[in-house]
């Protein structure tokens, strides 16, 4: 993409904002400037790591923990609109059974349970696009008949085997195709730090609940920053694991492309950095790619590098000064070396082209059991323009975008971008090795007003590039901006080196304070 075309695209985004901004202002302005109820139950302020140990040792009852989170959900969800469907009563009964078996000594010693069932008795929330048996699994799509999961996704089975208790399924945009969480079934999810701001997407339901202390641990997904952006906007930790560490199956939408598992993965989200390896260890596919999680690592042995932006790409907007200062503070604390990876200017080109060339990704245009799609591109575009479509804009536009990339971009150009992808991946692997991390922005601004993502779409390439390259990455909370909104930065490592990210996340939490409870009444 030439510099002139990049500037033209940037100008188009600016013109688009003239239409988006008034609508966004109107929608956000209609949302009451209320605050959440205060967090009163002390159980809600303990990490999953601490709670798990206390449950195993009989110092805390699982039922009390699950009840505390169910009660908190009932307090905050009317304001956040983050829950699609709950299973509070079933979860409480499962928690009572855990307590009964622990009291009778039927589950083994505390040490055995820490190894075999690390999540025993802990409530876990699941993004609704991942299948939980008997629960809604529409991924925000307005269907003729409600879609209910017939069996658990592999990652959900792993969480249950580790002793986790599924509490609810949370809101997501239609087919997970937006970085703003809203749909025509459940509606708009709001940010607990300011209800007039977005919680991000597509794991916005998880992020809003976890940040509001309505969930302890969240199983998310990440195809283009879907776990990291919501974590950043709400002030929690969101991790995209190394490819194939967690099974990518059992998700709606699905895909049978051979590269799907390299680009897409379930992810982990939590309020406390020490819980990331705990949750990812439980989610891990026993037959998946090898990864280190709990290997002790001295912070001084980790080499750190950073960039404040994507270089002269000519596409993304300038990084907000508060975020730049945060990155510099993080870099200074870690003694990070500033680098310039010039191929990051190809981020948009390589990421969009790779994602849109995935074969048989499930969309509203996917053929059904009769071999025919429910709709066509021309028909759906016309219906959307007339206000008659049952789908949201991202779901409507994915078809035309796929058509353009697959039919109008010359193969020579695609080959060039594939070559740039491999060269950029090699740049990172050479830089990071087995002992390095890379500090990078996740997005140019903190949580904006609802729907403003639509004129900022190219800015998501700060996150999308690491899906394209197959590198693990996490969004880490490092402070508040001048509007008291959370600031997050990305920490990236080489494949299989997730433990380096966790070590840095813990240090950043220690140094900069980590999760901050949202303002309360």
């Amino acid at each position: 993409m030439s510099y002139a075309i990049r500037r033209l695209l940037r100008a188009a985004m600016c013109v688009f904002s003239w239409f988006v901004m008034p609508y966004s202002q109107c929608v956000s302005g209609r949302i009451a400037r209320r605050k959440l109820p205060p967090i009163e139950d002390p159980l809600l302020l303990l990490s999953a790591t601490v709670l798990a140990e206390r449950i195993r040792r009989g110092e805390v009852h699982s039922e009390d923990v699950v009840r505390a989170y169910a009660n908190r959900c009932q307090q905050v969800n009317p304001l956040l609109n983050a829950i699609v469907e709950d299973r509070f009563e079933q979860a409480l009964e499962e928690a009572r059974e855990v307590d009964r078996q622990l009291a009778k000594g039927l589950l083994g010693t505390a040490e055995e349970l820490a190894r075999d069932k690390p999540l025993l008795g802990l409530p876990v929330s699941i993004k609704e696009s991942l299948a939980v048996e008997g629960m809604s699994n529409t991924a925000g799509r307005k269907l003729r008949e409600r879609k209910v999961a017939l069996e658990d996704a592999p990652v959900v089975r792993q969480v249950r085997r580790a002793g986790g208790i599924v509490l609810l399924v949370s809101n997501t945009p239609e087919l997970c195709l937006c970085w703003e969480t809203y749909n025509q079934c459940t509606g708009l999810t709001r940010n607990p730090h300011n209800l007039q701001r977005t919680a991000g997407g597509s794991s916005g339901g998880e992020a809003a609940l976890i940040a509001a202390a309505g969930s302890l641990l969240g199983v998310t997904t990440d195809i283009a920053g879907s776990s990291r952006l919501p974590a950043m906007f709400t002030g929690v930790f969101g991790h995209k694991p190394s490819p194939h560490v967690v099974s990518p199956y059992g998700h709606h939408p699905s895909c049978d492309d051979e590269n799907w598992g390299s680009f897409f993965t379930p992810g982990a989200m939590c309020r406390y950095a020490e819980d990331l390896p705990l949750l990812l260890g439980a989610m891990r596919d026993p037959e998946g790619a090898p990864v280190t999680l709990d290997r002790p690592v001295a912070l001084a042995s980790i080499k750190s590098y950073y960039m404040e932006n994507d270089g002269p790409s000519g596409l993304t907007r300038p990084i907000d000064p508060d975020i730049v200062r945060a990155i510099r503070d993080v870099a200074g604390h870690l003694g990070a070396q500033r680098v310039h990876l010039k191929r990051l200017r190809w981020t948009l080109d390589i990421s969009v082209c790779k994602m849109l060339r995935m074969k048989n990704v499930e969309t509203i245009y996917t053929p059904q059991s009769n071999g025919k799609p429910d709709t066509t591109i021309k028909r759906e575009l016309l219906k959307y323009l007339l206000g008659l479509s049952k789908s949201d804009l991202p779901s409507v536009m994915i078809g035309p975008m796929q058509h353009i990339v697959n039919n109008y971009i010359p193969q020579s150009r695609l080959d060039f971008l594939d070559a740039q992808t491999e060269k950029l991946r090699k740049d990172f692997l050479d830089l990071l090795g087995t002992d390095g991390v890379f500090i990078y922005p996740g997005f140019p601004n903190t949580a904006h007003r609802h729907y403003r993502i639509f004129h900022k779409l190219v800015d998501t390439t700060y996150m999308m590039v690491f899906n394209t390259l197959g590198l693990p990455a996490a969004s880490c909370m490092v402070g508040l901006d001048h509007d008291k909104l959370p600031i997050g930065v990305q920490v990236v490592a080489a494949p299989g080196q997730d433990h380096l990210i966790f070590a840095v996340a813990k240090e950043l939490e220690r140094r900069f304070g980590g999760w901050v409870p949202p303002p309360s009444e």
Side-chain angles (χ1 to χ4, degrees), residues 103-142:
K104 294 178 180 180
L106 300 177
L107 299 177
T109 66
E111 291 74 19
E112 291 170 338
L113 290 173
R115 182 190 66 233
D116 300 330
K117 290 187 176 295
L119 302 185
L120 183 66
L122 297 180
V124 182
S125 52
I126 311 289
K127 187 176 180 179
E128 193 258 1
S129 56
L130 285 162
V132 177
E133 183 179 358
M135 302 290 284
S136 174
N137 187 219
T138 65
R141 190 175 179 189
K142 199 170 186 178

Side-chain angles (χ1 to χ4, degrees), residues 87-346:
R87 57 186 307 276
F88 295 153
E89 291 305 317
Q90 301 98 310
L92 283 167
E93 182 52 44
E94 290 170 14
R96 295 185 194 106
E97 181 61 24
V98 167
D99 291 334
R100 283 193 288 265
Q101 294 193 31
L102 281 171
K104 294 178 180 180
L106 300 177
L107 299 177
T109 66
E111 291 74 19
E112 291 170 338
L113 290 173
R115 182 190 66 233
D116 300 330
K117 290 187 176 295
L119 302 185
L120 183 66
L122 297 180
V124 182
S125 52
I126 311 289
K127 187 176 180 179
E128 193 258 1
S129 56
L130 285 162
V132 177
E133 183 179 358
M135 302 290 284
S136 174
N137 187 219
T138 65
R141 190 175 179 189
K142 199 170 186 178
L143 301 171
R144 296 186 185 93
E145 295 182 5
R146 176 172 173 265
K147 184 176 185 289
V148 175
L150 300 179
E151 62 180 1
D152 287 339
V155 64
V156 176
R157 286 200 297 270
Q158 288 302 112
V159 166
R160 290 191 196 266
R161 286 172 183 163
I165 297 174
V166 177
L167 191 64
L168 56 90
V169 290
S170 61
N171 204 25
T172 177
E174 185 179 24
L175 295 177
C176 301
L177 288 173
C178 190
W179 292 271
E180 168 98 25
T181 298
Y182 76 100
N183 58 63
Q184 296 190 37
C185 300
T186 316
L188 178 71
T189 295
R190 295 175 280 273
N191 192 317
H193 287 269
N194 184 331
L195 301 180
Q196 295 181 330
R197 305 289 179 125
T198 180
S202 61
S203 305
E206 283 300 310
L209 283 174
I210 292 171
S215 176
L216 176 63
L217 300 170
V219 179
T220 63
T221 63
D222 196 308
I223 191 172
S226 294
S227 180
R228 287 161 286 154
L229 185 67
M232 179 187 310
F233 279 179
T234 59
V236 297
F237 293 85
H239 180 63
K240 181 195 86 68
S242 295
H244 302 289
V245 168
V246 182
S247 171
Y249 302 110
H251 184 262
H252 177 56
S254 61
C255 176
D256 58 11
D257 190 287
E258 62 181 4
N259 295 313
W260 179 244
S262 298
F263 206 91
F264 166 86
T265 179
M269 190 179 289
C270 51
R271 291 197 303 279
Y272 303 103
E274 69 174 345
D275 293 339
L276 285 174
L278 174 74
L279 179 54
L280 184 56
M283 294 167 54
R284 183 177 174 181
D285 183 352
E287 300 179 358
V291 65
T292 53
L293 298 176
D294 296 319
R295 180 191 299 171
V297 54
L299 197 68
S301 68
I302 300 177
K303 299 175 182 177
S304 302
Y305 309 92
Y306 79 103
M307 285 177 63
E308 296 176 3
N309 53 50
D310 61 352
S313 71
L315 275 172
T316 55
R317 293 173 304 110
I319 305 294
D320 281 359
D322 287 341
I323 298 177
V324 172
R325 281 192 290 271
I327 290 174
R328 290 175 179 174
D329 287 345
V330 168
H333 179 66
L334 297 176
Q337 175 187 345
R338 187 168 185 166
V339 295
H340 177 61
L341 300 175
K342 61 181 181 180
R343 289 190 181 89
L344 280 172
R345 66 192 178 101
W346 297 111

